[in-house]
């Protein structure tokens, strides 16, 4: 008799797996439009030549996350595809188009020149770069990478459709963002804010609040610019003194003393000038954390056991 195994996102909700502290690290993102289908490892997808993959991967700094993106719904496959480099601090650094070349060509009119430009932008971008657009639009990324995990497709696609009906120019389905069991997952760029366990109705409300300057703590997974303990501290600060925007608090220091972290935060105007948080990490019971997992793994929780505001 075959025993039905629940999907990872269903099981995570039943276990009440904590979301906070689970945002994947990145300060910079390279978004490459590719209509799919996407391979389990996104850059292995048909249409991304091995030479292109090697070219882009070779120049991407460790803090950059590469994601394939596509518009929700059916798309024409002969259209030019876009690429965009986004930076948490500088906003949009560069963008352009690329073709569907089978290899990296030598001729100056090669159809993959767009990805070469993306690679060049990544290789030479610095923290001093400024946005090319003085008021860049947020990008709303919804993980819908079904080949990587079925939950991402089943839960992600309805959320992407709902967001696209409200923000058609800003919404993209994207490849694996991490945290399959928290599907549907939405990442708001360039803020680097991860939200999880969304449905179509929740997602619109959460994004509306975010764009209005209110981080939704109930669905917050974390901030991609911060380590997990700082993500937990920031979430608790937003819960205590919010609603506030994604840049309302910033991390000034993180110290670890044998599994107990002290996180120092600085608040914007109208918020505590300095906040000290104590964060502890604790294991949860082992479980299958993705639909594709063969073995169980131990999820970790990051709990704030102390939070103190200072005037100076």
């Amino acid at each position: 008799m075959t025993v039905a195994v629940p999907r990872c996102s269903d099981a995570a909700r039943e276990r009440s797996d904590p979301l906070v502290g689970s945002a994947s690290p990145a300060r910079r993102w390279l978004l490459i439009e590719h209509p799919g289908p996407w391979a389990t490892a996104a850059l292995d997808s048909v249409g991304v030549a091995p030479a292109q993959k090697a070219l882009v991967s070779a120049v991407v700094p460790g803090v950059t996350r590469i994601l394939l993106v596509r518009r929700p719904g059916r798309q024409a496959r002969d259209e030019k595809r876009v690429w965009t480099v986004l930076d948490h601090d500088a906003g949009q650094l560069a963008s352009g188009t690329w073709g569907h070349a089978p290899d990296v060509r030598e001729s100056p009119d090669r159809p993959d020149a767009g990805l070469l430009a993306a690679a060049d932008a990544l290789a030479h971008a610095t923290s001093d770069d400024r946005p090319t657009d003085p008021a860049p639009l947020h990008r709303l990324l919804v993980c819908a990478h079904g080949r990587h995990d079925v939950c991402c497709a089943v839960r992600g696609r309805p959320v992407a459709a709902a967001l696209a009906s409200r923000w058609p120019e800003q919404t993209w389905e994207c490849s694996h963002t991490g945290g399959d069991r928290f599907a549907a997952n939405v990442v708001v760029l360039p803020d680097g804010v991860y939200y999880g366990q969304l449905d179509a109705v929740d997602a619109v409300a959460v994004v509306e609040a975010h764009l209005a300057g209110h981080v939704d703590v109930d669905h917050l997974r974390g901030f991609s610019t911060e380590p997990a303990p700082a993500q937990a501290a920031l979430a608790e600060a937003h819960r205590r003194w919010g609603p506030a925007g994604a840049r309302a608090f910033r991390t000034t220091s993180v110290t670890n003393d044998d599994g107990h972290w002290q996180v120092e935060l600085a608040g914007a105007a109208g918020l505590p000038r300095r906040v000290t948080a104590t964060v502890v990490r604790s294991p949860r019971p082992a479980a299958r954390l993705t639909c594709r997992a063969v073995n169980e793994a131990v999820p970790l929780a990051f709990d704030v056991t102390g939070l103190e505001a200072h005037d100076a």
Side-chain angles (χ1 to χ4, degrees):
M1 177 179 178
T2 302
V3 178
V5 177
R7 288 177 176 157
C8 68
S9 61
D10 297 330
R13 294 181 187 214
E14 292 173 4
R15 295 190 303 264
S16 298
D17 282 5
L19 279 73
V20 172
S22 64
S24 301
R27 296 193 70 87
R28 186 172 291 164
W29 297 264
L30 169 58
L31 310 181
I32 303 174
E33 184 178 5
H34 186 293
W38 296 335
T40 303
L43 287 184
D44 291 338
S45 301
V46 174
V48 181
Q52 293 172 330
K53 173 185 173 182
L55 171 71
V56 173
S57 299
V59 299
V60 171
V63 291
T64 299
R65 190 169 186 90
I66 305 174
L67 294 174
L68 298 187
V69 299
R70 64 191 175 205
R71 293 297 190 187
R74 292 184 176 274
Q75 306 169 58
R77 298 198 173 211
D78 57 350
E79 294 180 356
K80 277 287 187 181
R81 306 171 187 178
V82 301
W83 60 267
T84 305
V85 178
L86 296 173
D87 183 272
H88 173 266
D89 300 311
Q92 180 172 311
L93 293 179
S95 64
T97 61
W98 71 289
H100 187 74
D103 55 16
V104 176
R105 302 171 187 267
E106 296 295 332
S107 60
D109 60 344
R110 55 184 175 267
D112 65 315
L115 282 189
L116 289 173
D120 184 68
L122 283 165
H124 295 96
T126 72
S127 59
D128 294 327
D129 286 313
R130 295 293 179 265
T132 56
D133 181 348
L137 290 176
H138 284 84
R139 268 65 166 189
L140 311 176
L141 307 184
V142 185
C143 184
H145 197 167
R147 185 73 64 85
H148 196 279
D149 195 294
V150 66
C151 285
C152 297
V154 171
R155 291 188 180 272
R157 287 173 184 165
V159 166
L163 294 182
S165 67
R166 177 73 172 79
W167 298 280
E169 295 304 315
Q170 296 168 259
T171 303
W172 299 85
E173 292 182 355
C174 72
S175 56
H176 179 56
T177 59
D180 305 357
R181 69 188 190 277
F182 299 125
N185 290 299
V186 172
V187 185
V188 183
L189 299 182
D191 296 344
V193 177
Y194 276 58
Y195 293 106
Q197 293 186 342
L198 294 168
D199 61 27
V201 175
D202 289 339
V204 173
V206 166
V207 171
E208 281 183 338
H210 183 100
L211 298 180
H214 299 162
V215 169
D216 186 298
V217 183
D218 292 335
H219 289 279
L220 179 65
R221 288 183 53 195
F223 299 78
S224 69
T225 56
E226 308 298 336
Q231 293 181 35
L234 286 163
E236 194 61 26
H238 276 272
R239 189 179 298 278
R240 177 79 62 88
W241 292 289
R247 310 292 178 107
F249 293 95
R250 61 182 178 85
T251 305
T252 57
S253 70
V254 179
T255 57
N256 180 15
D257 182 11
D258 194 25
H260 290 71
W261 286 267
Q262 181 169 294
V263 181
E264 297 283 341
L265 307 176
L271 295 168
R273 294 181 62 183
R274 186 167 66 88
V275 174
T276 302
T278 302
V279 182
V280 297
R281 181 180 63 189
S282 58
R284 290 295 183 94
R288 291 176 66 251
L289 300 186
T290 69
C291 291
R292 298 174 63 243
V294 176
N295 299 314
E296 293 184 337
V298 176
L300 298 174
F302 292 86
D303 299 309
V304 177
T305 58
L307 192 69
E308 184 177 0
H310 311 275
D311 291 333

